Amino acid sequence: MSSAAATAAQQLPRSESRTLSGHEGAVLAVRFNRDGNYCLSCGKDRTVRLWNPHTGALVKTYKSHAREVRDVNASSDNAKLVSCGADRQIFYWDVASGRVIRKFRGHNSEVNSVKFNEHNTVVLSAGYDRTVRAFDCRSQSSDPIQTIDTFQDSVMSVSVTSTEIIAGSVDGTVRTFDIRMGRETVDNLRHPVNCISLSNDRNCLLANCLDSTVRLLDKNSGEMLQEYKGHICKAFKMDCCLTNDDAFVVGGSEDGFVFFWELVDAPIVASFRAHSSVVTSVSYHPTKTCMLTSSVDGTVRVWT
C-alpha cells in the first residue's frame, strides 16, 4: 500500500458520532439520500424511518408494510421513497406527506431490493421469486412494465445505470441487462451473491458473496479484478460499498465488525467492532468522511 493510501486509511470514519435508536428489532438496511443530508432505515418492525443522521433527529416514520421491510431507496430529488419487504409489497411513497402513492404488485414472494432509475421514473425490484421487475412511476398501473426471469434462484440485490439493470442472485450469478440492446450478460461467481454495489465511477461492481468474500468485477468485461476477505458472510444479506473516492471497499460482518480494504491490493486497512450483532448494511456519505451502519442489534450508527 502506498504512503498516500496509508494516509487516507488513517482518515477513514471509525469514531462513532451518534446512535440512531427507535427501531424495534433488527434494522435491515440504512441508506444515505442523494446529497447525504438525510438517511432512511427499515427493518423487522415493519417501518421505514427518515432521519437527520447529523443531528440524530427522527424526521418521519412510514408505516404500511405488513411484514419486515427489507430495503428502501430515495428518489434523487428527495420527493419520493420506494420500499419493499417480506409482505411481497413495493410501496411508492410521498416523502413529505407520508402517503402511499401506489402499491406495485407482481412479485409472488418476498421482495429483497428496490432502486429508482436515475430519472426517478422507474422502480426496479428483486425478489425471492427469481425475478427482477420494473414499474413505471408515471403510470396509474400497479403492474410491472417488464419482468426479467432468467435467474435460477432468489434475486437479492439490484442496481441500475442509465443503460443497464444489474442484479445479483443466490444462483451465484451477476446478470447485466442492456436496456437499449435487449441483451443479457452473465458473470458466474460460483457463490451465492447477496449484495451488489456499483463504484462511483460506474466502471466496477462489488459483489458480496456467501463464502465470506467480496469480489470486484470490471463492469464491462466481467473480469475479476480483486477479492476481499477477513469478514464473516455466510448466512445474512449484508451490504458492501466503496468509499466516495473509490479508494476503499467497505463491508460488514456477521460478528458485528466493519472492514475497510484498500481497493487495488486488498489488504485490510481498518476493522472495528461497530455493533453487538450482525452488520446488515453500510452506507457511505456521497462527499464527506462519514458512514452509516445498521445491525440486527436494532440500531443505526453514524461514524465520522
Side-chain angles (χ1 to χ4, degrees):
M1 186 167 62
S2 69
S3 59
T7 304
Q10 290 171 355
Q11 294 166 356
L12 290 167
R14 49 187 131 173
S15 64
E16 184 185 333
S17 68
R18 59 180 36 84
T19 298
L20 308 180
S21 299
H23 279 285
E24 295 171 26
V27 185
L28 299 177
V30 65
R31 310 268 179 257
F32 272 114
N33 73 330
R34 182 72 165 267
D35 58 19
N37 290 333
Y38 293 92
C39 70
L40 291 157
S41 62
C42 61
K44 288 269 191 187
D45 64 3
R46 310 175 186 182
T47 68
V48 171
R49 292 170 192 250
L50 174 66
W51 311 82
N52 180 329
H54 310 294
T55 65
L58 175 63
V59 180
K60 203 168 188 70
T61 302
Y62 303 83
K63 297 179 180 178
S64 271
H65 281 280
R67 293 179 64 190
E68 68 181 44
V69 189
R70 296 269 172 90
D71 198 12
V72 61
N73 192 228
S75 61
S76 58
D77 61 3
N78 299 321
K80 305 291 192 294
L81 303 178
V82 62
S83 62
C84 68
D87 56 6
R88 309 178 184 183
Q89 301 278 1
I90 299 160
F91 287 108
Y92 178 51
W93 307 80
D94 178 72
V95 170
S97 68
R99 186 175 61 87
V100 175
I101 301 166
R102 198 162 307 118
K103 289 185 197 177
F104 294 126
R105 59 173 184 251
H107 283 284
N108 53 33
S109 191
E110 301 170 11
V111 190
N112 298 315
S113 179
V114 281
K115 289 280 191 315
F116 282 102
N117 70 340
E118 65 176 5
H119 302 298
N120 309 312
T121 53
V122 175
V123 163
L124 292 143
S125 59
Y128 263 108
D129 60 4
R130 307 181 178 190
T131 69
V132 168
R133 295 173 194 257
F135 302 89
D136 187 346
C137 298
R138 297 164 299 183
S139 162
Q140 293 306 305
S141 170
S142 298
D143 297 317
I145 52 173
Q146 187 177 6
T147 299
I148 300 167
D149 58 3
T150 49
F151 299 90
Q152 304 300 306
D153 208 329
S154 175
V155 193
M156 298 303 289
S157 184
V158 63
S159 288
V160 60
T161 69
S162 56
T163 59
E164 302 152 313
I165 299 166
I166 309 165
S169 170
V170 175
D171 68 12
T173 67
V174 173
R175 293 170 193 257
T176 302
F177 305 89
D178 188 310
I179 299 163
R180 295 172 303 181
M181 307 290 289
R183 187 177 60 220
E184 175 184 310
T185 308
V186 181
D187 296 307
N188 192 348
L189 305 186
R190 292 180 169 75
H191 296 281
V193 178
N194 72 8
C195 172
I196 58 167
S197 178
L198 286 165
S199 61
N200 297 287
D201 66 10
R202 295 292 188 256
N203 291 329
C204 296
L205 185 76
L206 281 180
N208 201 11
C209 300
L210 287 177
D211 63 338
S212 299
T213 306
V214 178
R215 292 174 168 86
L216 181 71
L217 308 177
D218 182 296
K219 185 169 70 66
N220 294 321
S221 70
E223 179 190 356
M224 181 93 65
L225 301 175
Q226 193 52 275
E227 295 185 339
Y228 310 91
K229 297 174 184 279
H231 62 303
I232 304 164
C233 178
K234 295 178 179 175
F236 283 83
K237 175 171 164 57
M238 296 192 296
D239 289 342
C240 56
C241 68
L242 284 147
T243 55
N244 53 33
D245 58 1
D246 283 338
F248 300 95
V249 174
V250 191
S253 181
E254 289 176 14
D255 57 5
F257 276 73
V258 167
F259 285 77
F260 290 93
W261 296 269
E262 197 264 326
L263 180 77
V264 178
D265 296 323
I268 297 169
V269 296
S271 66
F272 60 89
R273 184 78 181 261
H275 291 274
S276 61
S277 187
V278 178
V279 180
T280 52
S281 195
V282 289
S283 181
Y284 210 89
H285 193 282
T287 55
K288 295 176 182 167
T289 301
C290 181
M291 176 181 70
L292 303 170
T293 58
S294 67
S295 173
V296 170
D297 70 11
T299 64
V300 171
R301 294 201 165 136
V302 186
W303 306 87
T304 52

